[in-house]
Amino acid sequence: MSIIKPNNNTLSAITALPAAISTGKVLQVVQTVETDAVAISSNDVITEFISASITPSSTSNKILITCHGVYGNSTDDSFGHILLFKGSSLLSGAIGDANSSAYRATTGASLRTGGGLTNNITRQFSFEFLDSPSTTSATYSGRAVATNQTTMYIGRSGTVGDDNRISAITTLTLSEIKGWL
């Protein structure tokens, strides 16, 4: 088998990609770390739990949005939904399709009865979305809604009365990606 030698160099001599590859590079990263828990207790009221702003260097660049955190609920059979917003509007490309009467969300945050009290359970959530903001200033936020008259917590378990429960960070990271010309 022959070894391919780009520009007659050995593979170990290659230290960088060619300069001609100008798209797909990460130009800047902005991150918000939220340490406070947020209680969402009003039925069907969308509540912001984290936000971050970025100033893209070009309107043709993309923004990779990544969010990670934990959630807990106050009672068994708790239903919550997590949504991605840009500015004051739900980012329509970042929610599921209409499917009967199901709630259209970026990701779910529900706990069902079975295997113990759900207010003692904490689960992780995460989502990632590549947006084309077509602007040089954008604010993104993670928001949540509880849909069955229970309290949902972002950043902690439903109860926090002892050291078996958790209080954790929520992160929202915005990465500007060089766009295609």
Side-chain angles (χ1 to χ4, degrees), residues 52-74:
S53 296
I54 193 165
T55 306
S57 58
S58 170
T59 58
S60 65
N61 292 344
K62 313 280 187 198
I63 304 298
L64 180 62
I65 305 123
T66 307
C67 187
H68 300 284
V70 299
Y71 65 92
N73 298 63
S74 61

Side-chain angles (χ1 to χ4, degrees), residues 46 65 81-86 89-99 102-108 127-131 141-145:
I46 297 172
I65 305 123
H81 312 290
I82 295 175
L83 310 163
L84 176 59
F85 274 66
K86 180 167 61 175
S89 300
L90 178 62
L91 200 51
S92 61
I95 58 173
D97 287 337
N99 189 352
Y103 199 98
R104 297 181 69 195
T106 305
T107 192
F127 62 82
E128 188 171 78
F129 185 77
L130 185 64
D131 187 36
S141 60
R143 301 185 188 191
V145 58

Side-chain angles (χ1 to χ4, degrees), residues 69-148:
V70 299
Y71 65 92
N73 298 63
S74 61
T75 61
D76 295 341
D77 293 334
S78 296
F79 298 92
H81 312 290
I82 295 175
L83 310 163
L84 176 59
F85 274 66
K86 180 167 61 175
S88 60
S89 300
L90 178 62
L91 200 51
S92 61
I95 58 173
D97 287 337
N99 189 352
S100 187
S101 58
Y103 199 98
R104 297 181 69 195
T106 305
T107 192
S110 300
L111 294 173
R112 293 296 310 238
T113 304
L117 297 173
T118 60
N119 64 350
N120 294 329
I121 298 171
T122 306
R123 293 197 177 148
Q124 296 179 6
F125 71 87
S126 65
F127 62 82
E128 188 171 78
F129 185 77
L130 185 64
D131 187 36
S132 300
S134 301
T135 184
T136 55
S137 179
T139 299
Y140 296 91
S141 60
R143 301 185 188 191
V145 58
T147 57
N148 68 331

